[in-house]
Amino acid sequence: MKGHPSRQAPKGENNIECSGSSRRRKESAIWSPGEARRPILEEAPVYYPNDEEFKDPLGYIASIRHNAQKYGICKIIPPASWSPPCPLREKNVWECAKFSTRIQQVDLLQNREPMKKKKTRKRKRRLHSKTGSTRRQPRSLGSESNTHSDSSDDKFGFQSGSDFTFEEFQTFSKDFKELYFRMKDTEVWKPSIEEIEGEYWRIVENPTDEVEVLYGADLETGVFGSGFPLESSSPKSSTLDQYATSGWNLNNLPRLPCSVLCFEENNISGVLVPWLYIGMCFSSFCWHVEDHHLYSLNYMHWGEPKIWYGVPGSHAAALEDAMRKHLPDLFEEQPDLLHELVTQLSPSVLKSEGVPVYRAVQNAGEFVLTFPRAYHSGFNCGFNCAEAVNLGPVDWLEHGLTAVELYSKQCRKTSLSHDKLLIGAASEAIRALWELSAVENINSINLRWRSFCGKDGMLTKAIKGRIEMEEERLKRLLPLVQLQTMDKDFGLKDEQECFSCFYDLHLSAVKCQCSPGQFSCLKHSNLMCSCEPENKTVLVRYNRDELNTLVQALEGKLDAIEQWTSKDPDNFSLNRRQHNSVKQDSERDGFETDPSMKNDSLSGLLREQTHNPKKQCSSCSDDATTSYASNHSSGKKLFGVDLSRGSPSVQQNGTFDSEIDPLSTKVSERTLLYHVDPLKLGSIASGKLWCSKQAIFPIGFRSRVKFFDASSPEITSSYICEILNGGLIGPLFKVSLEECPDTNLVSSSAQKCWEMISHRVFEELATKLNPGRQDLPPLQPDTECINGLGMFGLLSPPIVQSIEALDTNYQCLEYWKNKLKLKDECVTVKGPSGSSESTVDMARSAVMERGQCSGTKVATEEEHANYSSSNTELQLVLRRLLNKADPEELRIMHKILCSGSTSPEWRIAFATLSQEILRKV
C-alpha cells in the first residue's frame, strides 16, 4: 500500500500488508546513520504557565510575545492540571471513523527537477485504490502543511492516498517505522529523536532512495470531529465542561474576547475551525506562513514527537530570497511555489544564508505557537495526532494589513476581510470605553480593550495607518470621480473583491456606469474600463468626518465616543460576541429569583400583576396599562396594518392606501393590553436624575415585555428592559431582544428607546410590504401609543409598590413630592389648634426637611413658610406625643436631638418618622 519506501526489497525481506487492503509492497529503503544530516540549531523558547496564568490564553500569549516572537515559534507546556480527554480515542471513533491521507514523496521535497524537465521515467511505486476523490482545499491555511492535492501534470503536488481508521493507521505507521529502521529483530532498541531527524534531512538533502509516506493532513474537525470535547456534545460533567469551555480548547480560541477574529461571522475551515493532522514517521509540513500572517496554535493530542523549525517574521523575506537562490529552476517554473507548501529547504542551508532558524520538539500534551509571518516547517517522528487553529490578537492587525497589501500585489485571493475585522475591533474598543466611562462597567475585558486605545495604542495606530493609506489613494482619484456613501449591506454577505487584484472592498470600491456589477479597488480603477473618470463613482462606507470621529474616540475623547456609538446602537451591547456562552437570566415566561425579589409580599404582588394586568394607579384614576399597537385576535395587525390581508399598497406620500389601511382608526381602537414581567428590582440611587414625577429609576432594574419583533414584525418576541448606571448622565435605559442580546438600543430616555424600536419595526414592516420600492419616503409609526415608562413596567402598580418599598429614606424627592401633591386633595384632618391641616402637609414638611438634611434645596423659603407652625402649636403637638413615651423612650429621643442633624441617629429617626407619616396617609 502507498506510504512505504519504493525500492526493490532485498532477497528474503518480509512483505508487509496494510490493514484494510489486499495489496502488498516490498520495502527497500534503509536507514543510513553514517550519512545523517541533522542540522545544529538553537532551541526555541519553552514556557510553563501556572494555573492562574493558564486561565487567560490571549493574556498569556501577550505576556510572552515580546520575547518569543523573536524566535518565530515557541512551545507552551500546560500546567499538570491540564489533561483534556480526547473524544477521538473513544472506541467508536478509533475503530470506525475513516480519514483520508496524502502521499508525500519525501525525497523530492527539496531535490526535484521542474515538471517540464522531468524525465519520462516513472517512479517505481504501485498505485492503490482510492476510496475517495482528491480533496478540494479551502482558501485558508492551517498551522501545519496545508498542501494541495493537485493531480495535474503541470506542477508537483501531493496526491490522494487511501482512507484509514486510527487503528489501521497506527498499525501501518508502526510497521513502516520498524521496517525502515530495522527494529524487527530487537525488542529494546529504537532510534532517538536526533537519529530520526538526521535521517529525515539526509533523505531530503541527499536522497539515495525513493521514500513515500502518508499524511492525514488538514482534516476538517467540523466534519470529522475535534480532539477536544465540545460543549454541545459533552455530558453534564464538570470535568468535561471545564475542557469544553476552556479558552485553550482550539474550538473556542479564535473567538475569545479581545480576539479580532470575533468579528468574522463565517466559520472558515482551518482558520476559525481547527484542522486535524494524523502523522507517521517522516510525514512533513513544508515551509509556509499562515494565511493573512495570522498566529497559529497547535496542540498534540497523543503520539510520538513532532519536530518544528521556525524563522522569525522579521526574516521572512530573507528566507524567501534563500529559497529562490537555492531552488532557482523550481521558482522560475512556479513563482508562487511557497504558496503550494510542497517544498522543503534544509535549515542548515538557510543558516548558511544568514537566516536564523530555531527548533522545537513537541510532545503529546504540548502546544506550539507560531507568530505572524513566521515561516515554519517540520515533520513527525511517528504516529501522532495534532490539532491546529489560527488566532488574531489585536497586535496581529499590523501584520494582517501587510498581508493583504502583499496579496494585492500577488493578485492572490484573501480569506478574510481585514478592514471588517479592523473596524469591528475599533467599534468594540469604543464600546468598552463607553461602558467604562458612562456605565462604570469595569471588567477585565473592557480594561483590556482600553489598553489598546489612547493616542499610542496599537489599535489606534492600526486604524490611523489604514485611514492614511485610504486617504492617500483617494487623493489620486478625487475630484475627478464622484464620491458616494455605499449601501450599509454592501459586501457584508458576499464579500466584494477587486476584479483585478482581489483586494477586499469593505471600506471603499469604484464602480462605473458601463459595468454596474463590477468593482475595483482604489488602485486599479483605471484598469476596469476605458471610460472617463466622470463616469465612475467611489463608494465609501465612512466619510472623512466619520473616520476622524473613529480615531478621536479611540484616543479617548468622550464626545467622539458618544458620537460613534450613537451611529450604531448595537455597539452598546454589553454581551457582544458572547453568543456561544451567553446564558439567559430567566426562562422566556418566568422571572429571575434575585435576592431582592425573594419575599412573600412581593411574590404575591407579582402573581397579582400577572393575573390581573389591568390596574388603576392608587394616586389617580388613570389606567396604568399602556397600549402600543394594534394586535387584534388574529395577531396580524400592526400599527393599523392588517398583515393577514396581504401587502397593502403605499402611496407616494408614504401613507398606506386607505382602502386597505385602517391607520385612520382612532388609537383607542388599536390598543393592546399588555403586562410586564419583572426580573430584578435593582437598588435606589440618590440624585434628581434617578426619578421623575411619574417613576423611580432603580439601578439594575430589569423586566421583560413582549412586542413586535424588530426584524420579523409579523411575530412578537420578548424584549429585556434594563436601567443602567450612566454615571454623571444618570440612568441609561436599554432594551434588547432576549433571544438576540446583540440587537439592542440604549438611550437616556425610556420613551426614546421604545420610539426607536417602534420606528425599526415600522420600517421593517414597510420593507416587507413594499419590496424593491426605493423611491418611497420613510413611513412613520404612531408613537403616541408607545409609553416608554409603561413598557419598562415602571407604571405597573405592583412593580411601583415594590420599587417604592426600596426607597426607605425617600431619596427620590421629586417623585415623592408629586405623589404627595396628588394625595393632597384627597385626605385632610383637624390640626391640634382646631384649624384644618392636611396630614399630607406634615409628610410634605418631613420630605422637605429630609431634603435639607441631605443638602438638597427642595423648596423656596416662601414655600417653606407656608408649612410652618407657631411655637405654641408645636409645643402642644410635641407634649401630646411625649406624654405617651416612657422614661427610656424620652432618654433616646433626647440623645437623638442632642446628636445634631448630621448624625446617623438623627437620620434614622427622621427616616422612621417619615415612613410612619406616609404609612398613615
mmCIF file of all heavy atoms in Angstrom, residues 31-69:
data_model
loop_
_atom_site.group_PDB
_atom_site.id
_atom_site.type_symbol
_atom_site.label_atom_id
_atom_site.label_comp_id
_atom_site.label_asym_id
_atom_site.label_seq_id
_atom_site.Cartn_x
_atom_site.Cartn_y
_atom_site.Cartn_z
ATOM 1 N N TRP A 31 17.736 2.756 6.656
ATOM 2 C CA TRP A 31 18.372 3.816 7.427
ATOM 3 C C TRP A 31 19.869 3.837 7.170
ATOM 4 O O TRP A 31 20.525 2.800 7.157
ATOM 5 C CB TRP A 31 18.058 3.586 8.906
ATOM 6 C CG TRP A 31 18.691 4.569 9.846
ATOM 7 C CD1 TRP A 31 18.902 5.889 9.644
ATOM 8 C CD2 TRP A 31 19.184 4.282 11.155
ATOM 9 N NE1 TRP A 31 19.477 6.470 10.738
ATOM 10 C CE2 TRP A 31 19.668 5.502 11.701
ATOM 11 C CE3 TRP A 31 19.254 3.128 11.939
ATOM 12 C CZ2 TRP A 31 20.217 5.590 12.966
ATOM 13 C CZ3 TRP A 31 19.794 3.224 13.213
ATOM 14 C CH2 TRP A 31 20.275 4.437 13.717
ATOM 15 N N SER A 32 20.398 5.066 6.970
ATOM 16 C CA SER A 32 21.844 5.232 6.757
ATOM 17 C C SER A 32 22.400 6.152 7.829
ATOM 18 O O SER A 32 22.573 7.363 7.606
ATOM 19 C CB SER A 32 22.119 5.822 5.367
ATOM 20 O OG SER A 32 21.571 5.004 4.360
ATOM 21 N N PRO A 33 22.666 5.638 9.042
ATOM 22 C CA PRO A 33 23.082 6.505 10.152
ATOM 23 C C PRO A 33 24.391 7.235 9.892
ATOM 24 O O PRO A 33 24.608 8.330 10.413
ATOM 25 C CB PRO A 33 23.204 5.543 11.338
ATOM 26 C CG PRO A 33 23.353 4.186 10.727
ATOM 27 C CD PRO A 33 22.582 4.220 9.462
ATOM 28 N N GLY A 34 25.270 6.657 9.085
ATOM 29 C CA GLY A 34 26.549 7.305 8.830
ATOM 30 C C GLY A 34 26.449 8.527 7.941
ATOM 31 O O GLY A 34 27.395 9.319 7.846
ATOM 32 N N GLU A 35 25.334 8.723 7.280
ATOM 33 C CA GLU A 35 25.149 9.865 6.380
ATOM 34 C C GLU A 35 24.146 10.883 6.914
ATOM 35 O O GLU A 35 23.581 11.680 6.175
ATOM 36 C CB GLU A 35 24.674 9.355 5.008
ATOM 37 C CG GLU A 35 25.638 8.382 4.367
ATOM 38 C CD GLU A 35 25.089 7.815 3.077
ATOM 39 O OE1 GLU A 35 24.124 8.418 2.544
ATOM 40 O OE2 GLU A 35 25.598 6.798 2.609
ATOM 41 N N ALA A 36 23.930 10.851 8.219
ATOM 42 C CA ALA A 36 22.934 11.725 8.828
ATOM 43 C C ALA A 36 23.238 13.192 8.543
ATOM 44 O O ALA A 36 24.394 13.613 8.499
ATOM 45 C CB ALA A 36 22.878 11.482 10.329
ATOM 46 N N ARG A 37 22.177 13.997 8.343
ATOM 47 C CA ARG A 37 22.323 15.425 8.032
ATOM 48 C C ARG A 37 21.564 16.278 9.061
ATOM 49 O O ARG A 37 20.962 17.273 8.720
ATOM 50 C CB ARG A 37 21.758 15.711 6.645
ATOM 51 C CG ARG A 37 22.521 15.081 5.496
ATOM 52 C CD ARG A 37 23.882 15.756 5.316
ATOM 53 N NE ARG A 37 24.552 15.280 4.125
ATOM 54 C CZ ARG A 37 24.499 15.876 2.939
ATOM 55 N NH1 ARG A 37 23.772 16.957 2.784
ATOM 56 N NH2 ARG A 37 25.147 15.381 1.896
ATOM 57 N N ARG A 38 21.634 15.911 10.308
ATOM 58 C CA ARG A 38 20.880 16.651 11.323
ATOM 59 C C ARG A 38 21.431 18.062 11.477
ATOM 60 O O ARG A 38 22.612 18.262 11.737
ATOM 61 C CB ARG A 38 20.960 15.919 12.670
ATOM 62 C CG ARG A 38 20.238 16.647 13.803
ATOM 63 C CD ARG A 38 20.222 15.833 15.090
ATOM 64 N NE ARG A 38 19.593 16.610 16.151
ATOM 65 C CZ ARG A 38 20.259 17.320 17.051
ATOM 66 N NH1 ARG A 38 21.582 17.325 17.030
ATOM 67 N NH2 ARG A 38 19.613 18.010 17.970
ATOM 68 N N PRO A 39 20.581 19.110 11.324
ATOM 69 C CA PRO A 39 21.056 20.488 11.479
ATOM 70 C C PRO A 39 21.299 20.823 12.952
ATOM 71 O O PRO A 39 20.580 20.346 13.837
ATOM 72 C CB PRO A 39 19.904 21.322 10.911
ATOM 73 C CG PRO A 39 18.696 20.464 11.075
ATOM 74 C CD PRO A 39 19.165 19.041 10.941
ATOM 75 N N ILE A 40 22.296 21.618 13.202
ATOM 76 C CA ILE A 40 22.603 22.070 14.562
ATOM 77 C C ILE A 40 21.972 23.442 14.743
ATOM 78 O O ILE A 40 22.413 24.432 14.165
ATOM 79 C CB ILE A 40 24.126 22.133 14.796
ATOM 80 C CG1 ILE A 40 24.769 20.786 14.451
ATOM 81 C CG2 ILE A 40 24.413 22.546 16.235
ATOM 82 C CD1 ILE A 40 24.207 19.619 15.246
ATOM 83 N N LEU A 41 20.939 23.488 15.567
ATOM 84 C CA LEU A 41 20.143 24.708 15.708
ATOM 85 C C LEU A 41 19.927 25.062 17.176
ATOM 86 O O LEU A 41 19.964 24.201 18.058
ATOM 87 C CB LEU A 41 18.768 24.530 15.049
ATOM 88 C CG LEU A 41 18.739 24.113 13.578
ATOM 89 C CD1 LEU A 41 17.305 23.808 13.153
ATOM 90 C CD2 LEU A 41 19.327 25.207 12.699
ATOM 91 N N GLU A 42 19.650 26.357 17.407
ATOM 92 C CA GLU A 42 19.289 26.813 18.742
ATOM 93 C C GLU A 42 17.830 26.463 19.003
ATOM 94 O O GLU A 42 16.993 26.502 18.099
ATOM 95 C CB GLU A 42 19.487 28.328 18.841
ATOM 96 C CG GLU A 42 19.201 28.902 20.219
ATOM 97 C CD GLU A 42 19.430 30.398 20.280
ATOM 98 O OE1 GLU A 42 20.103 30.936 19.372
ATOM 99 O OE2 GLU A 42 18.922 31.037 21.226
ATOM 100 N N GLU A 43 17.545 26.093 20.236
ATOM 101 C CA GLU A 43 16.190 25.704 20.581
ATOM 102 C C GLU A 43 15.300 26.932 20.755
ATOM 103 O O GLU A 43 15.724 27.970 21.271
ATOM 104 C CB GLU A 43 16.174 24.886 21.884
ATOM 105 C CG GLU A 43 16.900 23.552 21.787
ATOM 106 C CD GLU A 43 16.195 22.585 20.844
ATOM 107 O OE1 GLU A 43 14.951 22.492 20.896
ATOM 108 O OE2 GLU A 43 16.890 21.922 20.042
ATOM 109 N N ALA A 44 14.065 26.803 20.310
ATOM 110 C CA ALA A 44 13.064 27.850 20.551
ATOM 111 C C ALA A 44 12.709 27.855 22.034
ATOM 112 O O ALA A 44 12.840 26.844 22.725
ATOM 113 C CB ALA A 44 11.823 27.588 19.705
ATOM 114 N N PRO A 45 12.244 28.987 22.560
ATOM 115 C CA PRO A 45 11.933 29.055 23.998
ATOM 116 C C PRO A 45 10.750 28.172 24.375
ATOM 117 O O PRO A 45 9.866 27.897 23.563
ATOM 118 C CB PRO A 45 11.627 30.536 24.221
ATOM 119 C CG PRO A 45 11.233 31.062 22.886
ATOM 120 C CD PRO A 45 12.013 30.277 21.878
ATOM 121 N N VAL A 46 10.763 27.739 25.621
ATOM 122 C CA VAL A 46 9.694 26.911 26.176
ATOM 123 C C VAL A 46 9.118 27.652 27.380
ATOM 124 O O VAL A 46 9.862 28.159 28.219
ATOM 125 C CB VAL A 46 10.209 25.523 26.609
ATOM 126 C CG1 VAL A 46 9.058 24.672 27.147
ATOM 127 C CG2 VAL A 46 10.896 24.821 25.441
ATOM 128 N N TYR A 47 7.787 27.700 27.481
ATOM 129 C CA TYR A 47 7.129 28.439 28.555
ATOM 130 C C TYR A 47 6.248 27.493 29.369
ATOM 131 O O TYR A 47 5.642 26.568 28.839
ATOM 132 C CB TYR A 47 6.300 29.582 27.989
ATOM 133 C CG TYR A 47 7.147 30.628 27.303
ATOM 134 C CD1 TYR A 47 7.376 30.558 25.924
ATOM 135 C CD2 TYR A 47 7.742 31.656 28.011
ATOM 136 C CE1 TYR A 47 8.167 31.505 25.288
ATOM 137 C CE2 TYR A 47 8.535 32.604 27.391
ATOM 138 C CZ TYR A 47 8.742 32.522 26.022
ATOM 139 O OH TYR A 47 9.540 33.446 25.394
ATOM 140 N N TYR A 48 6.207 27.777 30.687
ATOM 141 C CA TYR A 48 5.475 26.935 31.623
ATOM 142 C C TYR A 48 4.486 27.786 32.428
ATOM 143 O O TYR A 48 4.776 28.187 33.556
ATOM 144 C CB TYR A 48 6.433 26.222 32.579
ATOM 145 C CG TYR A 48 7.425 25.315 31.906
ATOM 146 C CD1 TYR A 48 8.622 25.812 31.389
ATOM 147 C CD2 TYR A 48 7.181 23.945 31.793
ATOM 148 C CE1 TYR A 48 9.549 24.973 30.775
ATOM 149 C CE2 TYR A 48 8.097 23.100 31.175
ATOM 150 C CZ TYR A 48 9.275 23.624 30.668
ATOM 151 O OH TYR A 48 10.189 22.792 30.063
ATOM 152 N N PRO A 49 3.323 28.106 31.891
ATOM 153 C CA PRO A 49 2.360 28.910 32.651
ATOM 154 C C PRO A 49 1.848 28.148 33.868
ATOM 155 O O PRO A 49 1.681 26.918 33.825
ATOM 156 C CB PRO A 49 1.233 29.152 31.648
ATOM 157 C CG PRO A 49 1.342 28.022 30.671
ATOM 158 C CD PRO A 49 2.810 27.721 30.564
ATOM 159 N N ASN A 50 1.623 28.866 34.972
ATOM 160 C CA ASN A 50 0.995 28.237 36.126
ATOM 161 C C ASN A 50 -0.516 28.228 35.941
ATOM 162 O O ASN A 50 -1.042 28.729 34.950
ATOM 163 C CB ASN A 50 1.404 28.936 37.432
ATOM 164 C CG ASN A 50 1.052 30.418 37.431
ATOM 165 O OD1 ASN A 50 0.003 30.822 36.909
ATOM 166 N ND2 ASN A 50 1.918 31.244 38.010
ATOM 167 N N ASP A 51 -1.215 27.668 36.909
ATOM 168 C CA ASP A 51 -2.675 27.522 36.777
ATOM 169 C C ASP A 51 -3.364 28.870 36.597
ATOM 170 O O ASP A 51 -4.310 28.984 35.812
ATOM 171 C CB ASP A 51 -3.241 26.808 38.006
ATOM 172 C CG ASP A 51 -2.890 25.322 38.013
ATOM 173 O OD1 ASP A 51 -3.056 24.682 36.971
ATOM 174 O OD2 ASP A 51 -2.441 24.817 39.054
ATOM 175 N N GLU A 52 -2.908 29.881 37.313
ATOM 176 C CA GLU A 52 -3.539 31.192 37.221
ATOM 177 C C GLU A 52 -3.280 31.821 35.858
ATOM 178 O O GLU A 52 -4.194 32.371 35.232
ATOM 179 C CB GLU A 52 -3.011 32.099 38.343
ATOM 180 C CG GLU A 52 -3.724 33.430 38.446
ATOM 181 C CD GLU A 52 -5.200 33.299 38.794
ATOM 182 O OE1 GLU A 52 -5.564 32.305 39.461
ATOM 183 O OE2 GLU A 52 -5.980 34.178 38.384
ATOM 184 N N GLU A 53 -2.042 31.769 35.393
ATOM 185 C CA GLU A 53 -1.703 32.340 34.085
ATOM 186 C C GLU A 53 -2.414 31.611 32.955
ATOM 187 O O GLU A 53 -2.776 32.199 31.937
ATOM 188 C CB GLU A 53 -0.187 32.271 33.868
ATOM 189 C CG GLU A 53 0.610 33.153 34.804
ATOM 190 C CD GLU A 53 2.109 32.870 34.720
ATOM 191 O OE1 GLU A 53 2.480 31.699 34.474
ATOM 192 O OE2 GLU A 53 2.893 33.811 34.897
ATOM 193 N N PHE A 54 -2.638 30.315 33.161
ATOM 194 C CA PHE A 54 -3.218 29.485 32.111
ATOM 195 C C PHE A 54 -4.695 29.775 31.893
ATOM 196 O O PHE A 54 -5.263 29.366 30.883
ATOM 197 C CB PHE A 54 -3.016 28.010 32.464
ATOM 198 C CG PHE A 54 -3.146 27.067 31.295
ATOM 199 C CD1 PHE A 54 -2.204 27.068 30.280
ATOM 200 C CD2 PHE A 54 -4.213 26.187 31.209
ATOM 201 C CE1 PHE A 54 -2.320 26.195 29.200
ATOM 202 C CE2 PHE A 54 -4.332 25.309 30.141
ATOM 203 C CZ PHE A 54 -3.389 25.322 29.139
ATOM 204 N N LYS A 55 -5.333 30.480 32.829
ATOM 205 C CA LYS A 55 -6.755 30.773 32.701
ATOM 206 C C LYS A 55 -7.057 31.720 31.540
ATOM 207 O O LYS A 55 -8.174 31.749 31.040
ATOM 208 C CB LYS A 55 -7.287 31.369 34.005
ATOM 209 C CG LYS A 55 -7.321 30.400 35.179
ATOM 210 C CD LYS A 55 -7.821 31.106 36.435
ATOM 211 C CE LYS A 55 -7.849 30.153 37.624
ATOM 212 N NZ LYS A 55 -8.282 30.839 38.865
ATOM 213 N N ASP A 56 -6.069 32.510 31.150
ATOM 214 C CA ASP A 56 -6.284 33.560 30.150
ATOM 215 C C ASP A 56 -5.337 33.352 28.967
ATOM 216 O O ASP A 56 -4.220 33.861 28.969
ATOM 217 C CB ASP A 56 -6.043 34.923 30.802
ATOM 218 C CG ASP A 56 -6.255 36.075 29.833
ATOM 219 O OD1 ASP A 56 -6.739 35.836 28.709
ATOM 220 O OD2 ASP A 56 -5.944 37.224 30.209
ATOM 221 N N PRO A 57 -5.768 32.603 27.933
ATOM 222 C CA PRO A 57 -4.858 32.293 26.819
ATOM 223 C C PRO A 57 -4.302 33.528 26.120
ATOM 224 O O PRO A 57 -3.086 33.642 25.936
ATOM 225 C CB PRO A 57 -5.726 31.465 25.870
ATOM 226 C CG PRO A 57 -6.789 30.889 26.736
ATOM 227 C CD PRO A 57 -7.059 31.917 27.787
ATOM 228 N N LEU A 58 -5.173 34.457 25.723
ATOM 229 C CA LEU A 58 -4.690 35.627 24.997
ATOM 230 C C LEU A 58 -3.829 36.515 25.890
ATOM 231 O O LEU A 58 -2.848 37.105 25.430
ATOM 232 C CB LEU A 58 -5.867 36.429 24.445
ATOM 233 C CG LEU A 58 -6.695 35.744 23.351
ATOM 234 C CD1 LEU A 58 -7.763 36.696 22.830
ATOM 235 C CD2 LEU A 58 -5.812 35.278 22.200
ATOM 236 N N GLY A 59 -4.186 36.603 27.156
ATOM 237 C CA GLY A 59 -3.374 37.383 28.073
ATOM 238 C C GLY A 59 -1.995 36.774 28.248
ATOM 239 O O GLY A 59 -0.983 37.496 28.297
ATOM 240 N N TYR A 60 -1.941 35.439 28.328
ATOM 241 C CA TYR A 60 -0.641 34.793 28.492
ATOM 242 C C TYR A 60 0.204 34.926 27.226
ATOM 243 O O TYR A 60 1.411 35.207 27.296
ATOM 244 C CB TYR A 60 -0.818 33.315 28.851
ATOM 245 C CG TYR A 60 0.494 32.643 29.156
ATOM 246 C CD1 TYR A 60 1.172 32.915 30.343
ATOM 247 C CD2 TYR A 60 1.095 31.788 28.243
ATOM 248 C CE1 TYR A 60 2.398 32.333 30.628
ATOM 249 C CE2 TYR A 60 2.325 31.209 28.510
ATOM 250 C CZ TYR A 60 2.967 31.479 29.707
ATOM 251 O OH TYR A 60 4.192 30.917 29.966
ATOM 252 N N ILE A 61 -0.419 34.744 26.088
ATOM 253 C CA ILE A 61 0.325 34.894 24.829
ATOM 254 C C ILE A 61 0.873 36.303 24.703
ATOM 255 O O ILE A 61 2.004 36.518 24.258
ATOM 256 C CB ILE A 61 -0.577 34.523 23.642
ATOM 257 C CG1 ILE A 61 -0.827 33.008 23.632
ATOM 258 C CG2 ILE A 61 0.040 34.959 22.316
ATOM 259 C CD1 ILE A 61 -1.879 32.558 22.638
ATOM 260 N N ALA A 62 0.068 37.301 25.121
ATOM 261 C CA ALA A 62 0.534 38.691 25.077
ATOM 262 C C ALA A 62 1.725 38.894 26.004
ATOM 263 O O ALA A 62 2.646 39.668 25.695
ATOM 264 C CB ALA A 62 -0.607 39.639 25.455
ATOM 265 N N SER A 63 1.732 38.187 27.137
ATOM 266 C CA SER A 63 2.816 38.372 28.107
ATOM 267 C C SER A 63 4.149 37.802 27.627
ATOM 268 O O SER A 63 5.211 38.269 28.050
ATOM 269 C CB SER A 63 2.428 37.730 29.446
ATOM 270 O OG SER A 63 2.442 36.301 29.359
ATOM 271 N N ILE A 64 4.115 36.794 26.741
ATOM 272 C CA ILE A 64 5.368 36.197 26.263
ATOM 273 C C ILE A 64 5.746 36.690 24.872
ATOM 274 O O ILE A 64 6.836 36.394 24.383
ATOM 275 C CB ILE A 64 5.273 34.656 26.241
ATOM 276 C CG1 ILE A 64 4.220 34.188 25.223
ATOM 277 C CG2 ILE A 64 4.964 34.113 27.632
ATOM 278 C CD1 ILE A 64 4.154 32.669 25.040
ATOM 279 N N ARG A 65 4.845 37.456 24.251
ATOM 280 C CA ARG A 65 5.045 37.839 22.845
ATOM 281 C C ARG A 65 6.351 38.588 22.622
ATOM 282 O O ARG A 65 7.077 38.307 21.662
ATOM 283 C CB ARG A 65 3.873 38.702 22.369
ATOM 284 C CG ARG A 65 4.034 39.262 20.964
ATOM 285 C CD ARG A 65 2.791 40.021 20.531
ATOM 286 N NE ARG A 65 2.509 41.166 21.368
ATOM 287 C CZ ARG A 65 2.996 42.390 21.149
ATOM 288 N NH1 ARG A 65 3.796 42.604 20.118
ATOM 289 N NH2 ARG A 65 2.674 43.397 21.934
ATOM 290 N N HIS A 66 6.648 39.557 23.460
ATOM 291 C CA HIS A 66 7.808 40.420 23.222
ATOM 292 C C HIS A 66 9.086 39.610 23.072
ATOM 293 O O HIS A 66 9.931 39.896 22.206
ATOM 294 C CB HIS A 66 7.960 41.418 24.370
ATOM 295 C CG HIS A 66 9.123 42.349 24.202
ATOM 296 N ND1 HIS A 66 9.138 43.353 23.237
ATOM 297 C CD2 HIS A 66 10.310 42.424 24.848
ATOM 298 C CE1 HIS A 66 10.286 44.001 23.309
ATOM 299 N NE2 HIS A 66 11.016 43.457 24.273
ATOM 300 N N ASN A 67 9.220 38.576 23.886
ATOM 301 C CA ASN A 67 10.441 37.768 23.807
ATOM 302 C C ASN A 67 10.312 36.642 22.790
ATOM 303 O O ASN A 67 11.215 36.411 21.979
ATOM 304 C CB ASN A 67 10.762 37.168 25.178
ATOM 305 C CG ASN A 67 12.002 36.296 25.147
ATOM 306 O OD1 ASN A 67 13.111 36.777 24.926
ATOM 307 N ND2 ASN A 67 11.828 34.995 25.357
ATOM 308 N N ALA A 68 9.173 35.963 22.785
ATOM 309 C CA ALA A 68 9.046 34.750 21.980
ATOM 310 C C ALA A 68 8.985 35.024 20.485
ATOM 311 O O ALA A 68 9.451 34.209 19.685
ATOM 312 C CB ALA A 68 7.802 33.970 22.417
ATOM 313 N N GLN A 69 8.418 36.160 20.070
ATOM 314 C CA GLN A 69 8.277 36.404 18.635
ATOM 315 C C GLN A 69 9.616 36.562 17.932
ATOM 316 O O GLN A 69 9.698 36.432 16.709
ATOM 317 C CB GLN A 69 7.405 37.636 18.401
ATOM 318 C CG GLN A 69 8.015 38.954 18.820
ATOM 319 C CD GLN A 69 7.083 40.130 18.558
ATOM 320 O OE1 GLN A 69 6.059 39.988 17.901
ATOM 321 N NE2 GLN A 69 7.431 41.284 19.082
#
